[in-house]
């Protein structure tokens, strides 16, 4: 018997299984779900809040594992994803599928028990949406994959809100719309300077299918649609003057960045190695984060009774 | 074959693979313990908040004390 049969070359470590759950995506999910929960008008016990946020994070991670199981073939040919656990041979596809399905079921079940049926149903739909509608159906079929698939990443604040209130409202819908409309320009900016990756993998991202000119147009169009929607939460129960100022500043910069991308062509982009696109992509992450931080600060100010008595609440 | 590999065939050694699997099992055990603690903590919180702990007994009680069959 050789030593190789005793010691598999690529036996998975625990960290490889954790990597299946896409910890970086989970961080964003935890943050947005927590904000959705904390800004809601109904308080949640800290233990229940922690337990339900863990459920939401694990559910999102499970859908990530299912996505990695399904997309292992295209992950292997893209430099950004080639080192993921399945293409690098550290975890088998079957293991990823088993982990994805098991954690999906457990997270939904526990969210139902710890939280409520509305939150659990939303989490189940999110997992289904990301794993089936986005990964299996849209991603390889249409250049609009990112537009509709973005909904999966937009649900966590709605789930957090549902844990607190047992329902939904304008505020969580606007938080959903903020992430939903932010996703396409964010990923198309990435796709502009990662074009080769998607071409090699045969994924019909917009720059691959329709060209970079159309992509630049679409980034500007989506930024212009996003800007008023992103400001709107200022005039709901969760908003206020601070959010309005922050949102106006962020959206002005976001639209300006999109306009700069729109003004350029491939020649000027190649000349400075996509500097404007890379900056816009980097800023877009800070943009989303800052909106949610502003909502959190508004909630804190409300809890300290530091609010304007005459602030217009339109929704 | 080295001495440590020879030992590992007898299942008595601290071969590298046992250490690797041991670390994985410990981490998994930690996760399971975390789940147990989480369920316990949520149970205590829900009970102290006065959640109805009676099991479903195939009847619907729209008004306390008045059972609808």
């Amino acid at each position: 018997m050789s030593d190789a049969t005793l010691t598999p070359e690529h036996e998975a470590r625990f960290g490889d299984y954790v990597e299946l759950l896409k910890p970086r995506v989970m961080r964003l999910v935890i943050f947005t779900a927590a904000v959705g929960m904390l800004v809601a008008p109904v308080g949640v016990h800290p233990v229940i809040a922690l337990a339900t946020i863990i459920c939401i994070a694990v559910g999102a991670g499970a859908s990530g594992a299912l996505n990695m199981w399904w997309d292992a073939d295209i992950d292997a040919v893209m430099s950004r994803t080639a080192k993921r656990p399945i293409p690098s041979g550290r975890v088998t596809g079957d293991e990823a599928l088993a982990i994805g399905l098991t954690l999906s079921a457990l997270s939904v079940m526990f969210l139902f028990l710890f939280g409520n049926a509305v939150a659990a149903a939303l989490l189940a739909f999110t997992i289904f949406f990301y794993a089936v509608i986005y990964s299996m159906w849209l991603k390889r079929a249409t250049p609009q994959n990112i537009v509709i698939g973005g909904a999966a990443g937009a649900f966590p604040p709605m789930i957090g809100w549902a844990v607190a209130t047992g329902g939904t409202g304008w505020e969580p819908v606007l938080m959903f719309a903020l992430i939903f409309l932010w996703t396409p320009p964010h990923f198309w900016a990435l796709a502009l300077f990662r074009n080769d990756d998607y071409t090699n993998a045969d994924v019909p991202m917009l720059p691959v299918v329709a060209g970079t000119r159309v992509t630049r147009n679409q980034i500007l169009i989506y930024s212009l649609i996003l800007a008023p929607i992103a400001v709107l939460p200022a005039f709901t129960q969760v908003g206020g003057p601070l959010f309005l100022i922050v949102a106006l500043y962020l959206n002005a910069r976001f639209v300006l960045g999109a306009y700069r991308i729109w003004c350029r062509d491939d020649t000027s982009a190649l000349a400075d190695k996509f500097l404007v696109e890379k900056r816009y992509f980097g800023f877009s992450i800070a943009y989303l984060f800052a909106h949610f931080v502003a909502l959190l600060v508004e909630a804190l100010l409300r809890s300290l009774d530091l609010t304007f008595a005459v602030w217009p609440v339109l929704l | 074959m080295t001495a440590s590999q020879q030992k590992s065939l007898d299942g008595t050694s601290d071969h590298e693979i046992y250490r690797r699997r041991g670390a994985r099992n410990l981490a998994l055990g930690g996760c399971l313990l975390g789940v147990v603690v989480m369920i316990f903590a949520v149970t205590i919180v829900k009970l102290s908040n006065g959640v109805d702990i009676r099991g479903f007994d195939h009847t619907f009680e729209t008004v306390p004390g008045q059972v609808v069959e």
Side-chain angles (χ1 to χ4, degrees):
Chain A
M1 187 184 282
S2 76
D3 194 39
T5 57
L6 284 171
T7 315
E9 201 181 341
H10 294 298
E11 186 161 353
R13 290 167 190 273
F14 191 74
D16 297 327
Y17 296 124
V18 174
E19 214 181 303
L20 274 181
L21 307 183
K22 300 192 177 181
R24 286 175 66 184
V25 177
M26 272 168 93
R27 277 211 295 269
L28 185 70
V29 167
I30 289 170
F31 176 64
T32 56
V35 172
M37 195 181 295
L38 292 171
V39 302
V42 185
V44 182
H45 192 285
V47 170
I48 305 283
L50 181 67
T52 49
I53 286 173
I54 289 173
C55 291
I56 298 167
V58 171
S63 66
L66 293 172
N67 167 272
M68 284 203 200
W69 161 71
W70 184 259
D71 279 347
D73 57 333
I74 52 176
D75 282 351
V77 292
M78 295 206 290
S79 62
R80 187 172 66 89
T81 52
K83 287 181 183 159
R84 282 181 174 175
I86 303 176
S88 62
R90 286 172 288 145
V91 173
T92 66
D94 287 346
E95 281 178 309
L97 176 63
I99 288 170
L101 289 175
T102 308
L103 291 183
S104 296
L106 287 176
S107 60
V108 171
M109 186 184 81
F110 278 121
L111 189 60
F112 173 64
L113 294 171
F114 296 163
N116 54 60
V118 176
L122 279 171
L123 181 64
F125 183 69
T126 306
I127 295 169
F128 171 77
F129 201 93
Y130 187 65
V132 178
I133 297 187
Y134 171 68
S135 301
M136 295 183 188
W137 181 29
L138 294 174
K139 186 172 177 180
R140 302 180 196 216
T142 163
Q144 297 299 310
N145 49 16
I146 277 302
V147 179
I148 306 155
F155 274 114
M158 279 188 93
I159 304 174
W161 181 282
V163 167
T165 64
T168 186
W170 275 111
E171 296 86 350
V173 167
L174 286 173
M175 284 187 260
F176 171 92
L178 172 61
I179 304 177
F180 179 66
L181 291 169
W182 163 89
T183 309
H186 168 77
F187 276 106
W188 284 333
L190 173 75
L192 279 175
F193 57 88
R194 289 279 192 175
N195 208 342
D196 296 345
D197 256 4
Y198 293 110
T199 312
N200 294 340
D202 221 11
V203 175
M205 284 297 275
L206 200 60
V208 178
V209 176
T212 52
R213 184 68 262 159
V214 173
T215 309
R216 290 172 194 278
N217 296 346
Q218 291 289 320
I219 287 175
L220 182 61
I221 292 168
Y222 269 87
S223 301
L224 289 170
I225 299 170
L226 170 63
I229 303 276
V231 175
L232 212 51
F235 304 105
T236 64
Q237 274 187 47
V238 299
L242 178 93
F243 181 86
L244 180 65
I245 294 165
V246 172
L248 283 174
Y249 168 73
L250 291 170
N251 283 282
R253 270 193 68 179
F254 200 68
V255 170
L256 185 66
Y259 175 73
R260 283 191 182 134
I261 288 180
W262 180 73
C263 288
R264 283 151 66 89
D265 56 17
D266 289 349
T267 320
S268 48
L270 279 169
D272 63 6
K273 295 179 181 168
F274 293 92
L275 189 66
V276 173
E277 289 78 3
K278 283 177 181 169
R279 274 193 187 151
Y280 179 81
F281 177 75
F283 173 70
S284 70
I285 297 167
Y287 166 93
L288 192 68
F289 183 71
H291 273 96
F292 279 86
V293 169
L295 285 177
L296 213 50
V297 175
E298 283 285 2
L300 186 70
L301 293 175
R302 265 197 313 282
S303 69
L304 298 171
D305 259 344
L306 293 171
T307 49
F308 277 111
V310 289
W311 189 254
V313 175
L314 305 176
L315 294 170
Chain B
M1 187 177 278
T2 65
S4 73
Q5 285 165 351
Q6 180 60 54
K7 273 190 191 172
S8 74
L9 288 175
D10 311 331
T12 55
S13 105
D14 57 349
H15 190 280
E16 194 261 341
I17 196 169
Y18 294 113
R19 266 184 284 127
R20 217 188 309 170
R21 283 180 183 164
R24 211 167 67 182
N25 293 342
L26 268 178
L28 187 62
C31 287
L32 291 173
L33 189 68
V35 170
V36 170
V37 170
M38 191 168 71
I39 294 171
F40 181 71
V42 170
T43 307
I44 296 297
V45 168
K46 290 215 169 202
L47 288 182
S48 31
N49 286 348
V51 169
D52 194 347
I53 56 168
R54 289 175 303 173
F56 177 61
D57 58 359
H58 303 280
T59 57
F60 294 100
E61 222 173 272
T62 50
V63 179
Q66 289 183 9
V67 174
V68 179
E69 292 294 338

